[in-house]
Amino acid sequence: MTDQHLIVAKIVAIVVLLLVTLVFCFIPYLLDRFYKWTSRPQSDAREFKVVLCLLNFGGGVLIATTFIHMLPEVVEVVSALQDCRMLVPTPFGLPEVLLCTGFYLMYCIEEIMHFVVRRRQQRNRQLMVGVLETDGAQPKELVVEIEQPEKPKEQPAEPNWLRGLGIIVALSLHELFGGMAIGLEMSVSTVWFMCGAIAVHKLVLAFCIGMEIMMAHTRWLIAVVYLLVFSVVTPIGVGIGIAVSESSAANQPSTVSGILQGLACGTLIYVVFFEIVAKNHAGLRVLLSSVVGFVLMFGLQIASK
């Protein structure tokens, strides 16, 4: 009977986490219908103080999530794996190396994407110049055509889905492991406690991720896919935890989870500092918003202990 109650509690946790996360992910889109944040070009939209404050609030939340929640977990998992010889002990900090690897992996991916976009823009420019020459256009027009695209350097065809992709990949891995923690619990009371702690933590993130993806002017279909993926990973993790909860090795640290969490942590650091809070002299209100986001997640982390 107790096992049945435990399974029911975990299934209810799956449904609640999925539905509530979806709602919070799409709240920014509902707010945008009233405040029209995305009605201007992307560069102007972020000049709204409310938007900047919300985005930097999300930045503070993600900074706290990375350094206070994710990184200590990575250090703990990697240390446990090295202690039981599932990972070879190293003369350097392996968690920090994994973090840096994830950081540079994201850096490399973004630079490759920008390189591809620049090459495509140059080819289009050359084709346009060739068409003008074929049509007998005046040299002055050619000069204007060549110089004009330099002004909005990488704005037009930029892969604005990349920022959302980085956040979704990094946080989805983390939330998958969080869901597994719920699924592996062996009592109803601890299931509800873990569910509450992870839900509060995830709902703040869901709102911030929805805001960031919306302000990146990500296409609607891609945005829906991103938000659905983020919403469903924790329930999937709970399902995986339920599937392995009867295994004697269920509580053993996993090599794959330790490595993936380390890479995800570094990826998230890149996204936070290069894409969200990298705004020069945005004002004290924006700084305060970031601090409030950080303190909120810090308080939730303490309260969940």
Side-chain angles (χ1 to χ4, degrees), residues 69-264:
H69 191 70
M70 292 178 70
L71 187 56
E73 282 187 2
V74 173
V75 173
E76 183 180 344
V77 169
V78 170
S79 297
L81 290 169
Q82 289 180 327
D83 289 341
C84 62
R85 301 295 174 173
M86 295 177 70
L87 279 177
V88 178
T90 56
F92 52 84
L94 185 56
E96 289 77 10
V97 170
L98 289 173
L99 182 148
C100 294
T101 303
F103 178 90
Y104 282 109
L105 180 64
M106 189 61 193
Y107 196 170
C108 179
I109 291 173
E110 184 154 342
E111 287 301 318
I112 289 172
M113 292 304 302
H114 285 307
F115 175 75
V116 171
V117 169
R118 283 195 295 267
R119 289 289 298 270
R120 187 173 60 182
Q121 288 177 344
Q122 288 173 0
R123 278 201 304 269
N124 292 341
R125 204 175 303 152
Q126 290 170 358
L127 287 173
M128 196 175 295
V129 170
V131 169
L132 289 172
E133 286 177 342
T134 305
D135 292 343
Q138 295 295 325
K140 272 187 181 177
E141 295 175 359
L142 294 179
V143 172
V144 172
E145 189 63 32
I146 292 171
E147 290 180 354
Q148 194 67 15
E150 287 298 324
K151 210 161 78 179
K153 203 154 190 181
E154 290 171 6
Q155 197 168 344
E158 178 155 27
N160 48 24
W161 46 268
L162 189 60
R163 172 168 54 244
L165 179 64
I167 294 176
I168 294 301
V169 169
L171 285 178
S172 292
L173 287 171
H174 178 253
E175 295 301 330
L176 180 70
F177 301 131
M180 287 178 64
I182 297 175
L184 291 170
E185 292 297 338
M186 300 307 293
S187 70
V188 175
S189 60
T190 52
V191 165
W192 290 124
F193 176 80
M194 285 293 297
C195 181
I198 289 176
V200 175
H201 170 84
K202 190 175 182 181
L203 296 185
V204 177
L205 292 177
F207 177 83
C208 298
I209 287 171
M211 173 64 71
E212 181 62 26
I213 290 175
M214 181 187 74
M215 294 312 302
H217 289 252
T218 307
R219 275 195 282 178
W220 175 245
L221 182 61
I222 297 176
V224 169
V225 171
Y226 283 166
L227 298 179
L228 282 174
V229 168
F230 179 73
S231 300
V232 82
V233 286
T234 302
I236 288 175
V238 177
I240 294 172
I242 293 173
V244 301
S245 59
E246 295 181 3
S247 168
S248 59
N251 293 321
Q252 293 296 319
S254 165
T255 305
V256 174
S257 70
I259 292 173
L260 288 181
Q261 284 203 70
L263 294 176

